[in-house]
Amino acid sequence: MASSRPDSDPRPEPAPAAAAAAAAAAAAAEVFAAERPRLLGLAYRLLGSAAEAEDAVQDAFLRWNAADSSAVRVPAAWLTKVVTNLCLNRLASARATRESYIGPWLPEPVLTDEGALGPMETAEQRDSVSVGVLVMLERLTPPERAVFVLREAFGHTHREIADLLDVDEEHSRQLLRRAREHVGTPRRRFTPDTAQQRRILERFFAAAVEGDVAALERLLAEDAVAWTDGGGRVRAAVHPIAGRGKVVRFVAGVTTTPQAAGIEAEIRPVNGEAAAVLRIGGELIGVLWLETVPDERVSGVRVVLSPEKLAFLRGQTG
């Protein structure tokens, strides 16, 4: 019988085994793609670094490709375990690096309005990527941090966590208790809604760029603290600045210098809360978050200025 393929098409028909393998690879890639935002969100919460989180997720993808995915009963659980263990290995070396870090350490900022860090539907999910909580998570041992994130941000049961970390359920509970003792309550004293956050940020930025000392004093709480993370790459305070008067002088002194001329702020959702994305001449130079108390006064100012830590956000914003 003559072949039905036109003479002009010399391509051989794929062998059944090769076609099946290609279909299996495509299906495995589709499974991973669906899980990727959640895995990146998990890795970021564990590491506080978007770049390191992406590396961990990429490593997990390579392991997933090398595994027999058809034999994995629950892919989400398998991938969660792989990513968690990869992050635990990275945390051991990260601790030594951060001990020698120049100035205050703050996490890498990430835009969170397009699902880059997985689901942000609950207060716990949003808080677990907030700058304040991520800084507090630095106090924990790697296993404590893993249990805290898996339980508080992703809602895993202790039985599931025990399987993920290869510990027993009681040990998982002990790790969570210790983590909560070190971190305190995961909810901040006061969480303004988005409209309040935006209004406070706009008032603060306007007062700062105008050098309006009186307005800054009215906005800041008496025990306000400012942290600036330059990573030793750009000029920034190497110690926290505590007290309303010192914070006012610092903010006014920085924003009114010739180097800061033309600074502009765009309010965007960064790390689950409104933040001021700062630019000069269109170039991204920093991200600023404010923490507030119930009377809307600012109790904390956190600014990331390190060019390396802005790389991920720069890629998100173009």
Side-chain angles (χ1 to χ4, degrees), residues 195-251:
Q196 287 175 300
Q197 290 179 342
R198 175 179 289 273
R199 183 173 63 251
I200 296 166
L201 274 164
E202 290 173 345
R203 290 167 56 199
F204 182 88
F205 180 74
V209 296
E210 293 169 8
D212 190 338
V213 171
L216 286 171
E217 288 178 340
R218 289 193 297 270
L219 283 168
L220 288 164
E222 185 177 353
D223 59 351
V225 182
W227 298 265
T228 58
D229 182 343
R233 304 292 184 180
V234 297
R235 185 177 179 182
V238 295
H239 300 289
I241 302 163
R244 179 165 51 203
K246 291 181 179 179
V247 174
V248 167
R249 288 192 294 273
F250 174 76
V251 171

Side-chain angles (χ1 to χ4, degrees), residues 149-211:
V149 168
L150 290 166
R151 179 67 176 160
E152 298 290 344
F154 292 90
H156 286 285
T157 66
H158 283 291
R159 174 175 293 183
E160 291 169 337
I161 294 172
D163 290 340
L164 291 170
L165 300 182
D166 294 324
V167 298
D168 58 48
E169 290 184 53
E170 181 54 33
H171 188 46
S172 173
R173 290 189 178 88
Q174 290 174 355
L175 288 169
L176 182 62
R177 281 196 294 270
R178 291 205 296 266
R180 285 174 171 167
E181 288 172 1
H182 290 134
V183 171
T185 176
R187 297 291 292 159
R188 295 186 296 278
R189 290 179 297 170
F190 173 66
T191 307
D193 61 31
T194 302
Q196 287 175 300
Q197 290 179 342
R198 175 179 289 273
R199 183 173 63 251
I200 296 166
L201 274 164
E202 290 173 345
R203 290 167 56 199
F204 182 88
F205 180 74
V209 296
E210 293 169 8

Side-chain angles (χ1 to χ4, degrees), residues 44-45 48 105-109 124-140 145 148 179 182-191 197 225 227 270-275 288-292 299-304:
Y44 178 76
R45 288 166 172 85
W105 178 92
L106 296 175
E108 291 182 13
E124 289 75 17
Q125 289 169 337
R126 291 189 295 274
D127 272 2
S128 61
V129 294
S130 70
V131 177
V133 170
L134 288 172
V135 168
M136 288 191 291
L137 291 183
E138 291 292 302
R139 306 174 187 175
L140 306 182
R145 184 164 183 161
F148 185 90
H182 290 134
V183 171
T185 176
R187 297 291 292 159
R188 295 186 296 278
R189 290 179 297 170
F190 173 66
T191 307
Q197 290 179 342
V225 182
W227 298 265
V270 182
N271 286 70
E273 52 196 341
L288 178 148
W289 297 266
L290 299 178
E291 295 176 4
T292 54
S299 59
V301 180
R302 299 182 189 268
V303 189
V304 171

